[in-house]
Amino acid sequence: MSETPSGRPHFPTTAVTESIIVSGHVHGVGYRAFVLSHALRLGLWGKVRNQEDKTVLVVVSGLPDAIDQLVLELQKGPFGSRVDCVLRTSLGVAGEQSGPFVIDRDL
């Protein structure tokens, strides 16, 4: 959030998309369901999936502040997980919302 010249808060209204890779002990601990729950609560859309290299991939779109809040949760993870690294990559301005946040079960 920034301020306008009048001193009023300015909230960004442009949705962005990020690719986020989470590494650590994040398979078999309910991590994808954890991500889904927080993404839906924050009004984000996209998907989460397990990767063959034992990382979790999150492709998420929404307002930057909401994505920042999601990343804070990703760093904590659910009980039983251990998050070693959260790597964010901006994919630019988001296209039109294509539906709710989902768990992508395909590897």
Coordinates of all heavy atoms in Angstrom, one line a residue:
M1 N 0.8 -1.2 0.0 CA 0.0 0.0 0.0 C 0.9 1.2 0.0 O 1.9 1.3 0.6 CB -0.9 0.0 1.2 CG -1.8 1.2 1.3 SD -2.9 1.1 2.7 CE -1.8 1.5 4.0
S2 N 0.5 2.3 -0.7 CA 1.2 3.5 -0.8 C 0.2 4.6 -0.5 O -1.0 4.4 -0.3 CB 1.9 3.7 -2.1 OG 0.9 3.7 -3.2
E3 N 0.7 5.9 -0.5 CA -0.2 7.0 -0.3 C -0.3 7.8 -1.6 O 0.6 7.9 -2.3 CB 0.3 7.9 0.8 CG 0.1 7.2 2.2 CD 0.4 8.2 3.3 OE1 0.6 9.4 3.1 OE2 0.3 7.7 4.5
T4 N -1.5 8.4 -1.8 CA -1.7 9.3 -2.9 C -1.2 10.7 -2.5 O -0.9 10.9 -1.3 CB -3.2 9.4 -3.3 OG1 -3.9 9.9 -2.1 CG2 -3.8 8.0 -3.6
P5 N -1.1 11.6 -3.4 CA -0.6 13.0 -3.0 C -1.5 13.6 -2.0 O -1.1 14.5 -1.2 CB -0.7 13.7 -4.4 CG -0.5 12.7 -5.4 CD -1.1 11.5 -4.9
S6 N -2.8 13.2 -1.9 CA -3.7 13.8 -0.9 C -3.4 13.2 0.5 O -4.1 13.6 1.4 CB -5.1 13.6 -1.3 OG -5.4 12.2 -1.3
G7 N -2.6 12.2 0.6 CA -2.3 11.5 1.8 C -3.2 10.3 2.1 O -3.1 9.7 3.1
R8 N -4.2 10.1 1.2 CA -5.1 8.9 1.4 C -4.4 7.7 1.0 O -3.6 7.7 0.1 CB -6.3 9.1 0.6 CG -7.2 10.2 1.1 CD -8.6 10.1 0.4 NE -9.0 11.5 0.2 CZ -9.5 12.0 -0.9 NH1 -9.6 11.3 -1.9 NH2 -9.9 13.3 -0.9
P9 N -4.7 6.6 1.7 CA -4.0 5.3 1.3 C -4.5 4.9 -0.2 O -5.6 5.2 -0.5 CB -4.6 4.3 2.3 CG -5.3 5.0 3.3 CD -5.5 6.4 2.8
H10 N -3.6 4.3 -0.9 CA -3.9 3.8 -2.2 C -3.7 2.3 -2.2 O -2.6 1.8 -1.8 CB -2.9 4.4 -3.3 CG -3.0 3.8 -4.6 ND1 -4.0 3.9 -5.4 CD2 -2.1 2.9 -5.2 CE1 -3.8 3.2 -6.5 NE2 -2.7 2.6 -6.4
F11 N -4.7 1.6 -2.5 CA -4.6 0.1 -2.6 C -4.5 -0.3 -4.0 O -5.3 0.1 -4.8 CB -5.8 -0.5 -1.9 CG -6.0 -0.2 -0.5 CD1 -6.7 0.9 0.0 CD2 -5.3 -1.0 0.5 CE1 -6.8 1.2 1.3 CE2 -5.4 -0.6 1.8 CZ -6.2 0.4 2.2
P12 N -3.5 -1.2 -4.3 CA -3.4 -1.6 -5.7 C -4.6 -2.4 -6.1 O -5.1 -3.2 -5.3 CB -2.1 -2.5 -5.7 CG -1.8 -2.7 -4.3 CD -2.5 -1.7 -3.5
T13 N -5.1 -2.2 -7.3 CA -6.3 -3.0 -7.8 C -6.0 -3.9 -8.9 O -6.9 -4.5 -9.5 CB -7.4 -2.0 -8.2 OG1 -6.9 -1.1 -9.2 CG2 -7.9 -1.2 -7.0
T14 N -4.7 -3.9 -9.3 CA -4.3 -4.8 -10.4 C -3.9 -6.1 -9.9 O -2.9 -6.2 -9.1 CB -3.2 -4.1 -11.2 OG1 -3.6 -2.9 -11.7 CG2 -2.8 -5.0 -12.4
A15 N -4.5 -7.2 -10.3 CA -4.1 -8.5 -9.9 C -2.9 -8.9 -10.6 O -2.6 -8.6 -11.8 CB -5.3 -9.5 -10.2
V16 N -2.0 -9.7 -9.9 CA -0.8 -10.2 -10.5 C -0.8 -11.7 -10.3 O -1.6 -12.3 -9.6 CB 0.4 -9.6 -9.8 CG1 0.5 -8.1 -10.0 CG2 0.5 -9.9 -8.3
T17 N 0.2 -12.3 -11.0 CA 0.3 -13.8 -10.9 C 1.8 -14.1 -10.5 O 2.7 -13.4 -11.0 CB 0.0 -14.5 -12.2 OG1 -1.3 -14.2 -12.6 CG2 0.2 -16.0 -12.2
E18 N 1.9 -15.0 -9.6 CA 3.2 -15.5 -9.2 C 3.3 -17.0 -9.2 O 2.3 -17.7 -9.0 CB 3.5 -15.0 -7.7 CG 3.8 -13.6 -7.6 CD 4.3 -13.2 -6.2 OE1 4.9 -14.0 -5.5 OE2 4.2 -12.0 -5.9
S19 N 4.5 -17.5 -9.5 CA 4.8 -18.9 -9.3 C 5.7 -19.0 -8.0 O 6.6 -18.3 -7.9 CB 5.6 -19.4 -10.5 OG 6.1 -20.7 -10.3
I20 N 5.3 -19.9 -7.2 CA 6.0 -20.1 -5.9 C 6.3 -21.5 -5.7 O 5.5 -22.4 -5.8 CB 5.1 -19.6 -4.7 CG1 4.6 -18.2 -4.9 CG2 5.8 -19.7 -3.4 CD1 3.5 -17.7 -4.0
I21 N 7.6 -21.8 -5.5 CA 8.1 -23.1 -5.2 C 8.4 -23.2 -3.7 O 9.2 -22.4 -3.2 CB 9.4 -23.4 -6.0 CG1 9.1 -23.2 -7.5 CG2 9.9 -24.8 -5.7 CD1 8.4 -24.4 -8.2
V22 N 7.9 -24.2 -3.0 CA 8.1 -24.4 -1.6 C 8.9 -25.7 -1.5 O 8.4 -26.8 -2.0 CB 6.8 -24.5 -0.8 CG1 7.1 -24.6 0.7 CG2 5.9 -23.3 -1.1
S23 N 10.0 -25.7 -0.8 CA 10.8 -26.9 -0.5 C 10.9 -27.2 1.0 O 10.8 -26.3 1.8 CB 12.2 -26.8 -1.2 OG 12.9 -25.7 -0.6
G24 N 11.2 -28.4 1.3 CA 11.4 -28.9 2.6 C 10.6 -30.1 2.8 O 10.4 -30.9 1.8
H25 N 10.1 -30.4 4.0 CA 9.2 -31.6 4.2 C 7.8 -31.1 4.0 O 7.1 -30.7 4.9 CB 9.4 -32.1 5.6 CG 8.6 -33.3 5.9 ND1 8.7 -34.5 5.2 CD2 7.6 -33.5 6.9 CE1 7.8 -35.3 5.7 NE2 7.1 -34.8 6.7
V26 N 7.3 -31.1 2.7 CA 6.0 -30.6 2.4 C 5.1 -31.5 1.6 O 4.0 -31.2 1.2 CB 6.2 -29.2 1.5 CG1 6.8 -28.1 2.4 CG2 7.1 -29.5 0.3
H27 N 5.5 -32.8 1.5 CA 4.7 -33.8 0.9 C 4.2 -34.8 2.1 O 4.9 -35.0 3.0 CB 5.5 -34.7 -0.1 CG 5.6 -34.0 -1.4 ND1 5.7 -34.7 -2.6 CD2 5.6 -32.7 -1.8 CE1 5.8 -33.9 -3.6 NE2 5.8 -32.7 -3.1
G28 N 3.0 -35.2 2.0 CA 2.4 -36.1 2.9 C 2.1 -35.5 4.3 O 1.9 -36.2 5.3
V29 N 1.9 -34.2 4.3 CA 1.6 -33.5 5.6 C 0.4 -32.6 5.5 O 0.2 -31.8 6.3 CB 2.8 -32.7 6.1 CG1 4.0 -33.6 6.5 CG2 3.3 -31.7 5.1
G30 N -0.4 -32.7 4.4 CA -1.5 -31.9 4.2 C -1.2 -30.5 3.7 O -2.0 -29.5 3.8
Y31 N 0.0 -30.3 3.1 CA 0.4 -29.0 2.7 C -0.5 -28.4 1.6 O -0.8 -27.2 1.7 CB 1.9 -29.0 2.2 CG 2.5 -27.6 2.2 CD1 3.2 -27.2 3.3 CD2 2.5 -26.8 1.1 CE1 3.7 -25.9 3.4 CE2 3.0 -25.6 1.1 CZ 3.6 -25.1 2.2 OH 4.2 -23.8 2.3
R32 N -0.9 -29.2 0.6 CA -1.7 -28.6 -0.5 C -3.1 -28.2 0.1 O -3.6 -27.1 -0.3 CB -1.9 -29.6 -1.6 CG -0.6 -29.9 -2.4 CD -0.8 -31.0 -3.4 NE -1.2 -32.2 -2.8 CZ -1.7 -33.3 -3.4 NH1 -2.0 -33.2 -4.6 NH2 -2.0 -34.3 -2.7
A33 N -3.7 -29.0 1.0 CA -4.9 -28.6 1.6 C -4.8 -27.3 2.4 O -5.7 -26.4 2.4 CB -5.5 -29.7 2.4
F34 N -3.6 -27.2 3.1 CA -3.3 -26.0 3.8 C -3.3 -24.7 2.9 O -3.8 -23.7 3.2 CB -2.0 -26.2 4.5 CG -1.4 -25.0 5.3 CD1 -1.8 -24.8 6.6 CD2 -0.5 -24.2 4.6 CE1 -1.2 -23.7 7.2 CE2 0.1 -23.1 5.3 CZ -0.3 -22.9 6.6
V35 N -2.6 -24.9 1.8 CA -2.5 -23.8 0.8 C -3.9 -23.4 0.3 O -4.2 -22.3 0.2 CB -1.5 -24.2 -0.4 CG1 -1.5 -23.1 -1.4 CG2 -0.1 -24.4 0.2
L36 N -4.6 -24.4 -0.1 CA -6.0 -24.2 -0.6 C -6.8 -23.4 0.3 O -7.5 -22.4 0.0 CB -6.6 -25.6 -0.9 CG -8.1 -25.5 -1.3 CD1 -8.3 -24.9 -2.7 CD2 -8.7 -26.9 -1.4
S37 N -6.8 -23.8 1.6 CA -7.6 -23.1 2.6 C -7.3 -21.7 2.7 O -8.1 -20.8 2.8 CB -7.4 -23.8 4.0 OG -8.0 -23.1 5.0
H38 N -6.0 -21.4 2.8 CA -5.5 -20.0 2.9 C -5.8 -19.2 1.7 O -6.2 -18.0 1.7 CB -4.1 -19.9 3.4 CG -3.9 -20.3 4.8 ND1 -4.2 -19.5 5.9 CD2 -3.4 -21.4 5.4 CE1 -3.9 -20.1 7.0 NE2 -3.5 -21.3 6.7
A39 N -5.6 -19.8 0.5 CA -5.8 -19.1 -0.8 C -7.3 -18.7 -0.9 O -7.6 -17.5 -1.3 CB -5.3 -19.9 -1.9
L40 N -8.1 -19.6 -0.6 CA -9.6 -19.3 -0.7 C -10.0 -18.2 0.3 O -10.7 -17.3 0.0 CB -10.4 -20.6 -0.5 CG -10.3 -21.6 -1.6 CD1 -11.0 -22.9 -1.1 CD2 -10.8 -21.1 -2.9
R41 N -9.5 -18.3 1.5 CA -9.8 -17.3 2.5 C -9.3 -15.9 2.1 O -10.0 -14.9 2.4 CB -9.1 -17.6 3.8 CG -9.3 -16.6 5.0 CD -8.6 -17.1 6.3 NE -7.2 -17.3 6.1 CZ -6.3 -16.3 6.1 NH1 -6.7 -15.0 6.2 NH2 -5.0 -16.6 6.0
L42 N -8.2 -15.8 1.3 CA -7.7 -14.5 0.9 C -8.2 -14.1 -0.5 O -7.8 -13.0 -1.0 CB -6.1 -14.7 0.8 CG -5.4 -14.8 2.1 CD1 -4.0 -15.3 1.9 CD2 -5.5 -13.5 2.9
G43 N -9.1 -14.9 -1.1 CA -9.7 -14.5 -2.3 C -8.8 -14.6 -3.5 O -9.0 -13.9 -4.5
L44 N -7.9 -15.5 -3.5 CA -6.9 -15.8 -4.6 C -7.4 -16.9 -5.5 O -8.3 -17.7 -5.1 CB -5.6 -16.2 -4.0 CG -5.0 -15.1 -3.1 CD1 -3.8 -15.7 -2.3 CD2 -4.6 -13.9 -3.9
W45 N -6.9 -16.9 -6.7 CA -7.2 -18.0 -7.6 C -5.9 -18.6 -8.2 O -4.9 -17.9 -8.1 CB -8.2 -17.6 -8.7 CG -7.8 -16.6 -9.6 CD1 -7.3 -16.8 -10.9 CD2 -7.8 -15.1 -9.5 NE1 -7.0 -15.6 -11.5 CE2 -7.3 -14.6 -10.7 CE3 -8.2 -14.3 -8.5 CZ2 -7.2 -13.2 -10.9 CZ3 -8.0 -12.9 -8.7 CH2 -7.5 -12.4 -9.9
G46 N -6.0 -19.8 -8.6 CA -4.8 -20.5 -9.1 C -4.8 -21.9 -8.8 O -5.9 -22.6 -8.7
K47 N -3.6 -22.5 -8.5 CA -3.6 -24.0 -8.2 C -2.3 -24.3 -7.4 O -1.4 -23.5 -7.4 CB -3.6 -24.8 -9.5 CG -2.4 -24.6 -10.4 CD -2.5 -25.3 -11.7 CE -1.4 -25.0 -12.6 NZ -1.5 -25.8 -13.9
V48 N -2.4 -25.4 -6.8 CA -1.2 -25.9 -6.0 C -1.1 -27.4 -6.4 O -2.0 -28.1 -6.6 CB -1.4 -25.8 -4.5 CG1 -2.7 -26.5 -4.0 CG2 -0.2 -26.2 -3.7
R49 N 0.2 -27.8 -6.5 CA 0.4 -29.2 -6.9 C 1.8 -29.7 -6.3 O 2.7 -28.9 -6.2 CB 0.4 -29.4 -8.4 CG 1.6 -28.8 -9.1 CD 1.5 -28.9 -10.6 NE 1.8 -30.2 -11.0 CZ 1.7 -30.6 -12.3 NH1 1.3 -29.8 -13.2 NH2 2.1 -31.8 -12.6
N50 N 1.8 -31.0 -6.1 CA 3.1 -31.6 -5.7 C 3.9 -31.8 -6.9 O 3.4 -32.1 -8.0 CB 2.9 -33.0 -5.0 CG 2.4 -32.9 -3.6 OD1 2.5 -31.9 -2.9 ND2 1.7 -33.9 -3.2
Q51 N 5.2 -31.6 -6.8 CA 6.2 -31.9 -7.9 C 6.9 -33.2 -7.7 O 7.1 -33.6 -6.5 CB 7.1 -30.7 -8.0 CG 6.5 -29.3 -8.2 CD 6.0 -29.2 -9.6 OE1 4.9 -29.6 -10.0 NE2 6.8 -28.6 -10.5
E52 N 7.4 -33.7 -8.7 CA 8.2 -35.0 -8.6 C 9.4 -34.8 -7.8 O 9.9 -35.8 -7.2 CB 8.5 -35.5 -10.0 CG 7.3 -36.0 -10.8 CD 7.7 -36.6 -12.1 OE1 8.9 -36.8 -12.4 OE2 6.8 -36.8 -12.9
D53 N 10.0 -33.6 -7.7 CA 11.2 -33.4 -6.9 C 11.0 -33.1 -5.5 O 11.8 -32.7 -4.7 CB 12.0 -32.2 -7.5 CG 11.3 -30.9 -7.5 OD1 10.2 -30.8 -7.0 OD2 11.9 -29.9 -8.0
K54 N 9.7 -33.4 -5.0 CA 9.3 -33.3 -3.6 C 9.1 -31.8 -3.2 O 9.0 -31.6 -2.0 CB 10.2 -34.0 -2.7 CG 10.4 -35.5 -2.9 CD 9.1 -36.2 -2.8 CE 9.3 -37.7 -3.0 NZ 8.1 -38.4 -3.2
T55 N 9.0 -30.9 -4.1 CA 8.6 -29.5 -3.8 C 7.1 -29.4 -4.1 O 6.5 -30.3 -4.6 CB 9.4 -28.5 -4.7 OG1 9.1 -28.7 -6.0 CG2 10.9 -28.6 -4.4
V56 N 6.6 -28.2 -3.7 CA 5.2 -27.9 -4.0 C 5.2 -26.7 -4.8 O 5.9 -25.7 -4.5 CB 4.4 -27.7 -2.7 CG1 3.0 -27.1 -3.0 CG2 4.2 -29.0 -1.9
L57 N 4.5 -26.7 -5.9 CA 4.3 -25.6 -6.8 C 3.0 -24.9 -6.6 O 2.0 -25.6 -6.6 CB 4.4 -26.0 -8.3 CG 4.1 -25.0 -9.3 CD1 5.1 -23.8 -9.3 CD2 4.0 -25.6 -10.7
V58 N 3.0 -23.6 -6.4 CA 1.8 -22.8 -6.2 C 1.8 -21.7 -7.3 O 2.8 -21.0 -7.5 CB 1.8 -22.1 -4.8 CG1 0.5 -21.3 -4.7 CG2 1.9 -23.1 -3.7
V59 N 0.8 -21.7 -8.2 CA 0.7 -20.7 -9.2 C -0.6 -19.9 -8.7 O -1.7 -20.5 -8.7 CB 0.5 -21.2 -10.6 CG1 0.3 -20.1 -11.6 CG2 1.7 -22.1 -11.0
V60 N -0.4 -18.7 -8.3 CA -1.4 -17.9 -7.7 C -1.6 -16.6 -8.3 O -0.7 -15.9 -8.7 CB -1.2 -17.8 -6.2 CG1 0.1 -17.1 -5.9 CG2 -2.3 -17.2 -5.4
S61 N -2.9 -16.1 -8.4 CA -3.2 -14.8 -8.9 C -4.1 -14.1 -7.9 O -4.9 -14.7 -7.2 CB -3.9 -14.9 -10.3 OG -3.1 -15.5 -11.2
G62 N -3.9 -12.8 -7.9 CA -4.7 -12.0 -7.0 C -4.0 -10.7 -6.7 O -3.0 -10.3 -7.3
L63 N -4.6 -9.9 -5.7 CA -4.0 -8.7 -5.3 C -2.6 -8.9 -4.6 O -2.5 -9.9 -3.8 CB -4.9 -7.9 -4.4 CG -6.2 -7.4 -5.0 CD1 -7.1 -6.7 -4.0 CD2 -5.9 -6.6 -6.3
P64 N -1.6 -8.1 -4.8 CA -0.3 -8.3 -4.3 C -0.3 -8.5 -2.7 O 0.4 -9.3 -2.2 CB 0.5 -7.1 -4.7 CG -0.2 -6.6 -6.0 CD -1.6 -6.9 -5.7
D65 N -1.1 -7.7 -2.0 CA -1.1 -7.8 -0.6 C -1.6 -9.1 -0.1 O -1.1 -9.7 0.9 CB -1.9 -6.7 0.1 CG -1.3 -5.3 0.0 OD1 0.0 -5.3 -0.3 OD2 -1.9 -4.3 0.2
A66 N -2.6 -9.7 -0.8 CA -3.1 -11.0 -0.5 C -2.1 -12.1 -0.8 O -2.0 -13.0 0.0 CB -4.4 -11.2 -1.3
I67 N -1.4 -12.0 -1.9 CA -0.3 -12.9 -2.2 C 0.8 -12.9 -1.1 O 1.3 -13.9 -0.6 CB 0.2 -12.7 -3.6 CG1 -0.9 -13.1 -4.6 CG2 1.4 -13.6 -3.8 CD1 -0.5 -12.8 -6.0
D68 N 1.1 -11.7 -0.7 CA 2.1 -11.5 0.4 C 1.6 -12.2 1.7 O 2.4 -12.9 2.3 CB 2.4 -10.1 0.7 CG 3.1 -9.3 -0.4 OD1 3.7 -10.0 -1.3 OD2 3.1 -8.1 -0.4
Q69 N 0.4 -12.1 2.0 CA -0.2 -12.8 3.2 C -0.1 -14.3 3.0 O 0.2 -15.0 4.0 CB -1.6 -12.3 3.4 CG -1.7 -10.9 3.9 CD -3.2 -10.4 4.1 OE1 -4.1 -11.2 4.3 NE2 -3.4 -9.2 3.9
L70 N -0.4 -14.8 1.8 CA -0.3 -16.2 1.5 C 1.1 -16.7 1.7 O 1.3 -17.7 2.4 CB -0.8 -16.5 0.1 CG -0.7 -18.0 -0.2 CD1 -1.7 -18.9 0.6 CD2 -1.0 -18.2 -1.7
V71 N 2.0 -15.9 1.2 CA 3.5 -16.4 1.4 C 3.9 -16.5 2.8 O 4.6 -17.4 3.2 CB 4.4 -15.4 0.6 CG1 5.8 -15.7 0.9 CG2 4.1 -15.6 -0.9
L72 N 3.4 -15.6 3.7 CA 3.7 -15.7 5.1 C 3.1 -17.0 5.7 O 3.8 -17.6 6.5 CB 3.0 -14.5 5.9 CG 3.7 -13.1 5.6 CD1 2.9 -12.0 6.3 CD2 5.1 -13.1 6.1
E73 N 2.0 -17.4 5.2 CA 1.4 -18.7 5.7 C 2.2 -19.9 5.1 O 2.4 -20.8 5.8 CB -0.1 -18.8 5.3 CG -1.0 -17.8 6.0 CD -1.0 -17.9 7.5 OE1 -0.7 -19.0 8.0 OE2 -1.2 -16.9 8.2
L74 N 2.6 -19.7 3.8 CA 3.4 -20.8 3.2 C 4.7 -21.0 3.9 O 5.2 -22.2 4.0 CB 3.7 -20.5 1.7 CG 2.6 -20.3 0.8 CD1 3.1 -20.0 -0.6 CD2 1.7 -21.5 0.8
Q75 N 5.3 -20.0 4.5 CA 6.5 -20.1 5.2 C 6.3 -20.9 6.5 O 7.3 -21.5 7.0 CB 7.2 -18.7 5.5 CG 7.6 -18.1 4.2 CD 8.0 -16.6 4.4 OE1 7.5 -15.9 5.3 NE2 8.8 -16.1 3.5
K76 N 5.2 -20.8 7.1 CA 4.9 -21.5 8.3 C 4.5 -22.9 8.1 O 5.0 -23.8 8.7 CB 3.7 -20.8 9.1 CG 3.9 -19.4 9.5 CD 2.6 -18.8 10.1 CE 2.7 -17.4 10.3 NZ 1.4 -16.8 10.7
G77 N 3.6 -23.1 7.1 CA 3.2 -24.5 6.8 C 2.3 -25.1 7.8 O 2.2 -24.6 8.9
P78 N 1.6 -26.2 7.5 CA 0.8 -26.9 8.5 C 1.6 -27.7 9.5 O 2.8 -27.9 9.3 CB 0.0 -27.9 7.6 CG 0.9 -28.2 6.5 CD 1.7 -26.9 6.2
F79 N 1.0 -28.1 10.5 CA 1.6 -29.0 11.5 C 2.2 -30.2 10.9 O 1.6 -30.8 10.0 CB 0.6 -29.4 12.6 CG 1.2 -30.3 13.7 CD1 1.9 -29.7 14.7 CD2 1.1 -31.6 13.6 CE1 2.5 -30.5 15.7 CE2 1.6 -32.4 14.6 CZ 2.4 -31.9 15.6
G80 N 3.4 -30.5 11.2 CA 4.1 -31.7 10.6 C 5.0 -31.4 9.4 O 5.7 -32.2 9.0
S81 N 4.8 -30.2 8.9 CA 5.7 -29.8 7.8 C 6.9 -29.1 8.3 O 7.0 -28.7 9.4 CB 4.9 -28.9 6.8 OG 4.7 -27.6 7.4
R82 N 7.9 -28.9 7.4 CA 9.1 -28.1 7.6 C 9.4 -27.4 6.3 O 9.7 -28.0 5.3 CB 10.3 -29.0 8.0 CG 11.5 -28.2 8.4 CD 12.8 -29.0 8.5 NE 13.3 -29.3 7.1 CZ 13.3 -30.5 6.6 NH1 12.9 -31.6 7.3 NH2 13.7 -30.8 5.4
V83 N 9.3 -26.1 6.3 CA 9.5 -25.3 5.1 C 11.0 -24.8 5.2 O 11.4 -24.1 6.1 CB 8.5 -24.2 5.0 CG1 8.9 -23.3 3.8 CG2 7.1 -24.7 4.9
D84 N 11.8 -25.2 4.2 CA 13.1 -24.8 4.1 C 13.3 -23.5 3.2 O 14.1 -22.7 3.5 CB 14.0 -25.9 3.5 CG 14.1 -27.1 4.4 OD1 14.0 -26.9 5.6 OD2 14.4 -28.2 3.9
C85 N 12.5 -23.4 2.1 CA 12.7 -22.3 1.2 C 11.3 -22.0 0.5 O 10.6 -23.0 0.1 CB 13.7 -22.6 0.2 SG 14.1 -21.3 -1.0
V86 N 11.1 -20.7 0.3 CA 9.9 -20.3 -0.5 C 10.5 -19.4 -1.6 O 11.0 -18.3 -1.3 CB 8.8 -19.6 0.3 CG1 7.7 -19.1 -0.5 CG2 8.3 -20.5 1.4
L87 N 10.4 -19.8 -2.8 CA 11.0 -19.0 -3.9 C 9.9 -18.5 -4.8 O 9.1 -19.2 -5.4 CB 11.9 -20.0 -4.8 CG 12.5 -19.3 -6.0 CD1 13.5 -18.2 -5.6 CD2 13.3 -20.4 -6.8
R88 N 9.8 -17.1 -4.8 CA 8.7 -16.5 -5.6 C 9.2 -15.9 -6.9 O 10.3 -15.4 -7.0 CB 8.2 -15.3 -4.8 CG 7.6 -15.6 -3.5 CD 7.3 -14.3 -2.7 NE 6.2 -13.6 -3.1 CZ 5.6 -12.6 -2.5 NH1 6.1 -12.2 -1.3 NH2 4.6 -12.0 -3.0
T89 N 8.4 -16.1 -8.0 CA 8.8 -15.6 -9.3 C 7.5 -14.9 -9.8 O 6.4 -15.5 -9.9 CB 9.2 -16.7 -10.3 OG1 10.3 -17.4 -9.7 CG2 9.5 -16.1 -11.6
S90 N 7.7 -13.6 -10.2 CA 6.6 -12.9 -10.7 C 6.3 -13.3 -12.2 O 7.2 -13.4 -12.9 CB 6.9 -11.4 -10.7 OG 5.8 -10.6 -11.4
L91 N 5.0 -13.5 -12.5 CA 4.6 -13.8 -13.8 C 3.9 -12.7 -14.5 O 3.3 -12.8 -15.6 CB 3.8 -15.1 -13.9 CG 4.5 -16.4 -13.3 CD1 3.5 -17.5 -13.3 CD2 5.8 -16.7 -14.1
G92 N 3.8 -11.5 -13.8 CA 3.2 -10.3 -14.4 C 1.8 -10.1 -14.0 O 1.3 -10.7 -13.0
V93 N 1.1 -9.3 -14.7 CA -0.3 -8.9 -14.5 C -1.1 -10.1 -14.8 O -0.9 -10.8 -15.8 CB -0.7 -7.7 -15.3 CG1 -2.2 -7.4 -15.1 CG2 0.1 -6.5 -15.0
A94 N -2.1 -10.4 -13.9 CA -2.9 -11.6 -14.1 C -4.0 -11.4 -15.2 O -4.4 -10.2 -15.4 CB -3.7 -11.9 -12.8
G95 N -4.3 -12.4 -15.8 CA -5.4 -12.4 -16.8 C -6.7 -12.4 -16.1 O -6.8 -12.3 -14.8
E96 N -7.8 -12.7 -16.8 CA -9.1 -12.8 -16.1 C -9.1 -14.0 -15.2 O -8.5 -15.0 -15.5 CB -10.2 -12.9 -17.2 CG -10.4 -11.7 -18.0 CD -11.5 -11.8 -19.0 OE1 -12.5 -12.6 -18.6 OE2 -11.5 -11.2 -20.0
Q97 N -9.8 -13.8 -14.1 CA -10.0 -14.9 -13.2 C -10.7 -16.1 -13.8 O -11.7 -15.9 -14.5 CB -10.8 -14.4 -12.0 CG -10.9 -15.5 -10.9 CD -11.6 -15.0 -9.6 OE1 -11.8 -13.8 -9.5 NE2 -11.9 -15.9 -8.7
S98 N -10.1 -17.2 -13.7 CA -10.6 -18.4 -14.4 C -11.3 -19.4 -13.5 O -11.6 -20.5 -13.9 CB -9.5 -19.1 -15.2 OG -8.5 -19.5 -14.3
G99 N -11.5 -19.0 -12.3 CA -12.2 -19.9 -11.3 C -11.5 -19.9 -10.0 O -10.6 -19.1 -9.8
P100 N -12.0 -20.7 -9.1 CA -11.4 -20.7 -7.7 C -10.1 -21.3 -7.6 O -9.6 -22.0 -8.6 CB -12.5 -21.5 -6.9 CG -13.0 -22.4 -7.9 CD -13.1 -21.7 -9.2
F101 N -9.4 -21.2 -6.5 CA -8.2 -21.9 -6.3 C -8.4 -23.4 -6.1 O -9.4 -23.8 -5.5 CB -7.5 -21.3 -5.0 CG -6.1 -21.6 -4.9 CD1 -5.1 -20.7 -5.4 CD2 -5.6 -22.8 -4.3 CE1 -3.8 -21.0 -5.3 CE2 -4.3 -23.1 -4.3 CZ -3.4 -22.2 -4.7
V102 N -7.6 -24.2 -6.7 CA -7.8 -25.7 -6.7 C -6.5 -26.4 -6.4 O -5.4 -25.9 -6.6 CB -8.4 -26.2 -8.1 CG1 -9.7 -25.6 -8.3 CG2 -7.4 -25.9 -9.2
I103 N -6.7 -27.6 -6.0 CA -5.5 -28.6 -5.9 C -5.4 -29.3 -7.3 O -6.4 -29.9 -7.7 CB -5.7 -29.6 -4.8 CG1 -5.7 -28.8 -3.4 CG2 -4.6 -30.6 -4.8 CD1 -6.0 -29.7 -2.2
D104 N -4.3 -29.2 -7.9 CA -4.0 -29.9 -9.2 C -3.4 -31.2 -8.8 O -2.2 -31.3 -8.3 CB -3.1 -29.0 -10.0 CG -2.8 -29.6 -11.4 OD1 -3.2 -30.8 -11.6 OD2 -2.1 -29.0 -12.2
R105 N -4.0 -32.3 -9.0 CA -3.5 -33.6 -8.6 C -2.7 -34.3 -9.6 O -2.2 -35.4 -9.4 CB -4.7 -34.5 -8.2 CG -5.5 -33.9 -7.1 CD -6.4 -34.9 -6.4 NE -7.3 -34.2 -5.4 CZ -7.0 -33.8 -4.2 NH1 -5.7 -34.0 -3.8 NH2 -7.9 -33.3 -3.4
D106 N -2.5 -33.7 -10.8 CA -1.6 -34.3 -11.8 C -0.2 -34.0 -11.6 O 0.2 -32.8 -11.3 CB -2.0 -33.8 -13.2 CG -3.5 -34.2 -13.6 OD1 -3.9 -35.3 -13.1 OD2 -4.1 -33.4 -14.3
L107 N 0.7 -35.0 -11.8 CA 2.2 -34.7 -11.7 C 2.7 -34.6 -13.0 O 2.4 -35.1 -14.0 CB 2.9 -35.8 -10.9 CG 2.8 -35.7 -9.4 CD1 3.5 -36.8 -8.7 CD2 3.4 -34.4 -8.9

